[in-house]
Amino acid sequence: MAGAEGDDSLYPIAVLIDELRNEDVQLRLNSIKKLSTIALALGVERTRTELLPFLTDTIYDEDEVLLALAEQLGSFTVLVGGPEYVHCLLVRAPLRSNQDSVRLLAVEACVSIATLLPQEDLEALVMPTLRQAAEDKSWRVRYMVADKFSELQKAVGPEITKNDLVPAFQNLLKDCEAEVRAAAANKVKEFCENLPEDSRETIIMTHVLPCVKELVSDTNQHVKSALASVIMGLSTILGKDNTVEHLLPLFLAQLKDECPEVRLNIISNLDCVNEVIGIRQLSQSLLPAIVELAEDAKWRVRLAIIEYMPLLAGQLGVEFFDEKLNSLCMAWLVDHVYAIREAATCNLMKLVEKFGAEWAQNTIVPKVLSMSNDPNYLHRMTTLFCINALSEVCGQEITTKHMLPVVLKMASDQVANVRFNVAKCLQKIGPVLDSSALQAEVKPVLEILATDQDMDVKYFAQEAISGILAPGITLHLSSSLLQEVHF
């Protein structure tokens, strides 16, 4: 770097370079963090031919300095002249560090550089570093390799993938650390999708699937859960015959897993298998897992399975649903957790959208309305919440003929919370009803509720009257009540 010392304009740069040799670690750190300034002053040619060789030859340093160096070199592509010179950035010093964080950055840098290098340079310039990283003594470095595997696979192309990445991926799936296995398991589907098409099935069946089978019974639930979130996607890659023969036993094993998250991840991805083999082949083994999740002690697990119920219903069909799952959906309506009851109400609406109003009238509506006589007032309120959700999707006839009489009857409930929810319900279903029903049936009940002794009931009744008096709906209310409403 003597050239820098002979040019007065580069004197500040010479000072920074001298600081790189200083015994004071803080000075060296400060200089490292200004490498981009040095590179800009020197220009791309001298950065490549002088600065980078200087760094390679002289930086045998504290881990803290090597970490800063690795961070700086990650953004140096433009400063060395663009992608065609990016190989110059493969400084080896960070890889010699004893600090995990430095070697982690080296892995990230190699993956980034691999995407820019021409294919012919990858084997010599990148793969030695990545092979070393895949077998690093630190699980964090191996984890980083697993986490970046898909990016790496796309960067290096099919030949290096077959020769180097397939064995490396096998090792990561068998790693002694659960965190590494989980990260690799999470990449199984993506890795298989990106394999060369001419040898994809052979590689999966010979090299990947044996590892996957071992992970299905892994001792760590996070590994099994990560695998369960992607394993169903293999069915679309391997086709019907391989799925039935090789994958289906794995799916069923995970459906019976003791960990709820594993079972749930399988259920939530059933659409992949449905496209390939049809859901009927899974039905008998699927149902016990659904029942167990539906009754799980953790309310968040129950909530999650409720959210997937419309998807399952669509896949299983109306007959199977009515026979096996309808009772579960109704049981959720009386769950002791409000969030479950609320989600179950929304679930019913989605089921009616899927199966139709006639199905709702015959199967769902009678059961919902029967809850209006339940001794528990919370369950009676759930009836009203369900009517709020179902009135629009069921339509005017069902709402007027079946739901409205129940709502009106509940206006005399002894619990004030139920009565004011009746008022809110009447306001909600008002747009679905015709004007004659509003005038003859809804109006008298709201007038009574508007004079209720409970302030909340009175308030919501008046709100309902105001809402129903929207343009296009006119009720002939008494003048005294109208004055009270518009007070």
XYZ file of all heavy atoms in Angstrom, residues 56-109:
414
model
N -6.039 -9.703 3.292
C -5.842 -11.149 3.395
C -4.516 -11.481 4.068
O -4.421 -12.409 4.872
C -5.884 -11.782 1.995
O -7.139 -11.464 1.378
C -5.745 -13.297 2.069
N -3.490 -10.727 3.747
C -2.149 -11.023 4.259
C -1.922 -10.547 5.687
O -1.104 -11.119 6.413
C -1.086 -10.373 3.349
C -1.073 -11.008 1.960
O -1.561 -12.156 1.849
O -0.619 -10.350 1.012
N -2.603 -9.490 6.089
C -2.259 -8.874 7.376
C -3.296 -9.054 8.485
O -2.976 -8.870 9.650
C -2.019 -7.355 7.197
O -3.199 -6.746 6.685
C -0.865 -7.105 6.261
N -4.534 -9.403 8.123
C -5.564 -9.496 9.168
C -5.600 -10.915 9.756
O -6.263 -11.802 9.254
C -6.959 -9.108 8.615
C -6.933 -7.693 8.078
C -8.021 -9.245 9.698
C -6.689 -6.636 9.128
N -4.826 -11.129 10.787
C -4.913 -12.350 11.606
C -5.257 -11.821 12.984
O -4.368 -11.543 13.791
C -3.585 -13.100 11.625
C -3.179 -13.602 10.269
C -2.375 -12.820 9.423
C -3.604 -14.851 9.829
C -2.012 -13.289 8.186
C -3.239 -15.316 8.578
C -2.431 -14.536 7.748
O -2.063 -15.000 6.517
N -6.496 -11.638 13.274
C -6.843 -10.668 14.306
C -7.810 -11.202 15.343
O -8.224 -12.355 15.324
C -7.472 -9.444 13.611
C -7.085 -8.164 14.321
O -7.041 -8.163 15.550
O -6.844 -7.169 13.622
N -8.154 -10.274 16.246
C -9.184 -10.549 17.232
C -10.501 -10.864 16.519
O -10.791 -10.339 15.446
C -9.397 -9.314 18.127
C -8.155 -8.825 18.838
C -7.799 -9.703 20.018
O -8.684 -10.467 20.473
O -6.654 -9.651 20.460
N -11.319 -11.735 17.140
C -12.593 -12.103 16.536
C -13.484 -10.892 16.278
O -14.207 -10.826 15.296
C -13.343 -13.085 17.437
C -12.714 -14.475 17.376
O -12.113 -14.800 16.341
O -12.830 -15.219 18.364
N -13.417 -9.910 17.160
C -14.240 -8.709 17.019
C -13.882 -7.969 15.737
O -14.747 -7.454 15.022
C -14.034 -7.809 18.234
C -15.031 -6.671 18.328
C -14.839 -5.840 19.576
O -13.898 -6.114 20.347
O -15.635 -4.900 19.773
N -12.590 -7.933 15.416
C -12.140 -7.259 14.198
C -12.541 -8.071 12.970
O -12.998 -7.523 11.958
C -10.611 -7.035 14.233
C -10.118 -6.423 12.923
C -10.238 -6.154 15.407
N -12.398 -9.388 13.059
C -12.778 -10.243 11.936
C -14.285 -10.153 11.651
O -14.711 -10.183 10.504
C -12.397 -11.693 12.233
C -10.886 -11.990 12.238
C -10.638 -13.405 12.720
C -10.283 -11.774 10.865
N -15.075 -10.040 12.698
C -16.513 -9.882 12.532
C -16.835 -8.593 11.781
O -17.639 -8.583 10.843
C -17.203 -9.880 13.892
C -18.724 -9.693 13.904
C -19.408 -10.801 13.119
C -19.252 -9.649 15.325
N -16.192 -7.517 12.162
C -16.393 -6.236 11.478
C -15.940 -6.324 10.017
O -16.597 -5.780 9.120
C -15.624 -5.130 12.203
N -14.847 -7.046 9.783
C -14.345 -7.210 8.420
C -15.358 -7.973 7.563
O -15.660 -7.573 6.433
C -13.000 -7.953 8.449
C -12.392 -8.330 7.088
C -12.109 -7.085 6.264
C -11.127 -9.157 7.280
N -15.892 -9.056 8.110
C -16.873 -9.848 7.367
C -18.112 -9.024 7.033
O -18.663 -9.115 5.935
C -17.264 -11.085 8.180
N -18.557 -8.192 7.980
C -19.721 -7.339 7.743
C -19.451 -6.344 6.613
O -20.302 -6.102 5.766
C -20.096 -6.596 9.021
C -20.716 -7.484 10.094
C -20.946 -6.722 11.395
O -20.301 -5.665 11.596
O -21.772 -7.176 12.205
N -18.256 -5.766 6.596
C -17.915 -4.764 5.584
C -17.826 -5.382 4.187
O -18.335 -4.825 3.216
C -16.574 -4.106 5.944
C -16.647 -3.150 7.122
C -17.502 -1.930 6.817
O -17.353 -1.289 5.782
N -18.425 -1.628 7.713
N -17.201 -6.541 4.093
C -16.990 -7.144 2.786
C -18.296 -7.597 2.140
O -18.364 -7.765 0.924
C -16.031 -8.337 2.900
C -14.588 -7.980 3.285
C -13.746 -9.232 3.372
C -13.983 -7.000 2.287
N -19.330 -7.771 2.955
C -20.619 -8.183 2.413
C -21.228 -7.173 1.466
O -22.065 -7.512 0.641
N -20.815 -5.900 1.547
C -21.387 -4.851 0.686
C -20.351 -4.275 -0.276
O -20.462 -3.144 -0.719
C -21.961 -3.729 1.555
O -20.947 -3.184 2.385
N -19.351 -5.081 -0.612
C -18.212 -4.582 -1.395
C -18.304 -4.866 -2.891
O -17.385 -4.515 -3.633
C -16.911 -5.208 -0.850
C -16.020 -4.214 -0.164
C -16.498 -3.449 0.884
C -14.699 -4.046 -0.558
C -15.677 -2.532 1.525
C -13.872 -3.130 0.080
C -14.368 -2.378 1.119
N -19.380 -5.472 -3.349
C -19.442 -5.892 -4.751
C -19.183 -4.739 -5.715
O -18.366 -4.837 -6.639
C -20.817 -6.526 -5.062
O -21.027 -7.613 -4.175
C -20.875 -7.015 -6.498
N -19.864 -3.620 -5.493
C -19.693 -2.452 -6.381
C -18.284 -1.888 -6.278
O -17.691 -1.450 -7.278
C -20.730 -1.365 -6.021
C -20.491 -0.108 -6.843
C -22.143 -1.872 -6.255
N -17.715 -1.939 -5.087
C -16.417 -1.311 -4.842
C -15.249 -2.061 -5.478
O -14.149 -1.526 -5.582
C -16.184 -1.166 -3.338
C -17.216 -0.285 -2.606
C -16.961 -0.296 -1.112
C -17.177 1.146 -3.148
N -15.480 -3.317 -5.878
C -14.408 -4.056 -6.556
C -14.638 -4.115 -8.059
O -13.867 -4.749 -8.786
C -14.261 -5.488 -6.006
C -13.819 -5.453 -4.562
C -15.540 -6.292 -6.177
N -15.715 -3.472 -8.541
C -15.932 -3.420 -9.980
C -17.135 -4.193 -10.472
O -17.303 -4.366 -11.671
N -17.980 -4.693 -9.567
C -19.187 -5.387 -9.977
C -19.079 -6.897 -9.870
O -18.048 -7.445 -9.460
N -20.146 -7.615 -10.286
C -20.224 -9.064 -10.125
C -19.073 -9.842 -10.735
O -18.676 -10.881 -10.216
C -21.551 -9.415 -10.824
C -22.365 -8.173 -10.737
C -21.383 -7.047 -10.838
N -18.516 -9.331 -11.855
C -17.456 -10.104 -12.515
C -16.174 -10.176 -11.689
O -15.318 -11.027 -11.913
C -17.147 -9.504 -13.892
C -16.662 -8.065 -13.841
C -16.559 -7.460 -15.231
O -15.683 -7.882 -16.003
O -17.374 -6.567 -15.520
N -16.039 -9.297 -10.692
C -14.853 -9.320 -9.827
C -15.186 -9.741 -8.396
O -14.350 -9.617 -7.500
C -14.205 -7.937 -9.784
C -13.666 -7.478 -11.131
C -14.356 -6.525 -11.876
C -12.494 -8.002 -11.650
C -13.885 -6.105 -13.109
C -12.001 -7.586 -12.890
C -12.710 -6.641 -13.612
O -12.214 -6.228 -14.826
N -16.394 -10.269 -8.212
C -16.837 -10.547 -6.847
C -16.001 -11.634 -6.171
O -15.918 -11.711 -4.953
C -18.338 -10.933 -6.858
C -18.539 -12.359 -7.350
C -18.959 -10.750 -5.483
N -15.351 -12.494 -6.992
C -14.516 -13.542 -6.407
C -13.370 -12.977 -5.577
O -12.842 -13.654 -4.693
C -13.963 -14.446 -7.509
C -13.085 -13.714 -8.492
N -13.612 -13.032 -9.574
C -11.746 -13.536 -8.537
C -12.608 -12.483 -10.263
N -11.468 -12.776 -9.657
N -13.015 -11.728 -5.840
C -11.936 -11.099 -5.067
C -12.304 -10.946 -3.590
O -11.429 -10.784 -2.741
C -11.614 -9.712 -5.638
S -11.066 -9.718 -7.349
N -13.582 -10.977 -3.295
C -14.036 -10.734 -1.922
C -13.935 -11.963 -1.032
O -14.211 -11.878 0.166
C -15.496 -10.253 -1.931
C -15.733 -8.913 -2.606
C -17.225 -8.588 -2.626
C -14.981 -7.810 -1.879
N -13.564 -13.080 -1.598
C -13.489 -14.296 -0.793
C -12.227 -14.296 0.070
O -11.315 -15.095 -0.100
C -13.533 -15.528 -1.697
C -14.902 -15.756 -2.342
C -14.829 -16.811 -3.426
C -15.919 -16.140 -1.297
N -12.207 -13.358 0.988
C -11.106 -13.257 1.948
C -11.231 -14.398 2.953
O -12.298 -14.614 3.520
C -11.152 -11.900 2.682
C -10.017 -11.805 3.695
C -11.075 -10.767 1.672
N -10.168 -15.117 3.211
C -10.252 -16.319 4.039
C -10.193 -16.027 5.533
O -10.539 -16.869 6.344
C -9.102 -17.274 3.683
C -9.066 -17.670 2.223
C -10.272 -18.488 1.835
N -10.247 -18.858 0.422
C -11.234 -19.454 -0.190
N -12.334 -19.722 0.481
N -11.163 -19.769 -1.455
N -9.772 -14.866 5.924
C -9.551 -14.591 7.345
C -10.761 -14.887 8.228
O -10.607 -15.510 9.281
C -9.122 -13.141 7.534
N -11.993 -14.452 7.860
C -13.125 -14.723 8.742
C -13.349 -16.202 9.004
O -13.851 -16.581 10.045
C -14.304 -14.114 7.975
C -13.701 -13.048 7.133
C -12.371 -13.597 6.721
N -12.970 -17.069 8.055
C -13.199 -18.494 8.236
C -12.249 -19.107 9.250
O -12.465 -20.205 9.734
C -13.060 -19.216 6.887
C -14.035 -18.718 5.814
C -13.716 -19.352 4.489
C -15.453 -19.011 6.233
N -11.161 -18.387 9.557
C -10.211 -18.917 10.537
C -10.575 -18.513 11.959
O -9.925 -18.914 12.914
C -8.805 -18.394 10.199
C -8.286 -18.867 8.842
C -6.821 -18.534 8.730
N -6.570 -17.107 8.651
C -6.413 -16.441 7.500
N -6.508 -17.065 6.349
N -6.165 -15.156 7.504
N -11.615 -17.690 12.093
C -11.976 -17.173 13.405
C -12.514 -18.276 14.311
O -13.151 -19.229 13.869
C -13.035 -16.075 13.250
O -13.533 -15.702 14.509
N -12.268 -18.096 15.594
C -12.823 -19.015 16.590
C -14.213 -18.576 17.050
O -14.859 -19.269 17.820
C -11.902 -19.098 17.812
C -10.618 -19.828 17.483
O -10.626 -20.782 16.707
N -9.513 -19.369 18.054
N -14.661 -17.419 16.581
C -15.949 -16.882 17.013
C -17.043 -17.285 16.026
O -16.935 -17.045 14.821
C -15.883 -15.359 17.110
C -17.133 -14.739 17.728
C -16.947 -13.259 18.008
O -15.870 -12.835 18.378
N -18.001 -12.496 17.812
N -18.120 -17.886 16.547
C -19.203 -18.373 15.690
C -19.783 -17.276 14.810
O -20.061 -17.493 13.630
C -20.342 -18.963 16.541
C -19.912 -20.192 17.317
O -18.775 -20.650 17.098
O -20.706 -20.670 18.145
N -19.990 -16.111 15.387
C -20.660 -15.030 14.654
C -19.879 -14.611 13.419
O -20.458 -14.208 12.413
C -20.878 -13.823 15.570
O -19.655 -13.392 16.132
N -18.557 -14.720 13.484
C -17.721 -14.371 12.322
C -17.923 -15.395 11.217
O -18.114 -15.059 10.050
C -16.229 -14.286 12.729
C -15.365 -14.012 11.513
C -16.036 -13.210 13.781
N -17.898 -16.664 11.589
C -18.061 -17.722 10.580
C -19.486 -17.732 10.023
O -19.706 -18.096 8.869
C -17.691 -19.083 11.183
C -16.252 -19.133 11.701
C -15.724 -20.554 11.872
N -16.536 -21.392 12.736
C -16.538 -21.342 14.068
N -15.742 -20.468 14.693
N -17.304 -22.145 14.787
N -20.448 -17.333 10.835
C -21.821 -17.201 10.346
C -21.895 -16.183 9.210
O -22.526 -16.415 8.170
C -22.757 -16.767 11.482
C -23.168 -17.826 12.500
C -23.904 -17.166 13.663
C -24.045 -18.877 11.854
N -21.246 -15.055 9.414
C -21.226 -14.018 8.378
C -20.492 -14.501 7.138
O -20.844 -14.130 6.010
C -20.574 -12.744 8.917
C -21.475 -11.866 9.797
C -20.669 -10.750 10.431
C -22.617 -11.280 8.985
N -19.464 -15.311 7.334
C -18.730 -15.856 6.193
C -19.645 -16.740 5.343
O -19.579 -16.707 4.108
C -17.524 -16.659 6.685
N -20.509 -17.524 6.007
C -21.463 -18.366 5.269
C -22.421 -17.491 4.474
O -22.665 -17.721 3.284
C -22.247 -19.272 6.241
C -23.367 -19.991 5.497
C -21.317 -20.282 6.892
N -22.972 -16.465 5.127
C -23.897 -15.560 4.432
C -23.231 -14.908 3.227
O -23.823 -14.783 2.157
C -24.399 -14.489 5.400
C -25.417 -14.994 6.400
C -26.157 -13.840 7.063
O -27.149 -13.362 6.480
O -25.738 -13.437 8.152
N -21.969 -14.487 3.420
C -21.234 -13.833 2.330
C -21.028 -14.793 1.167
O -21.181 -14.419 0.003
C -19.889 -13.316 2.847
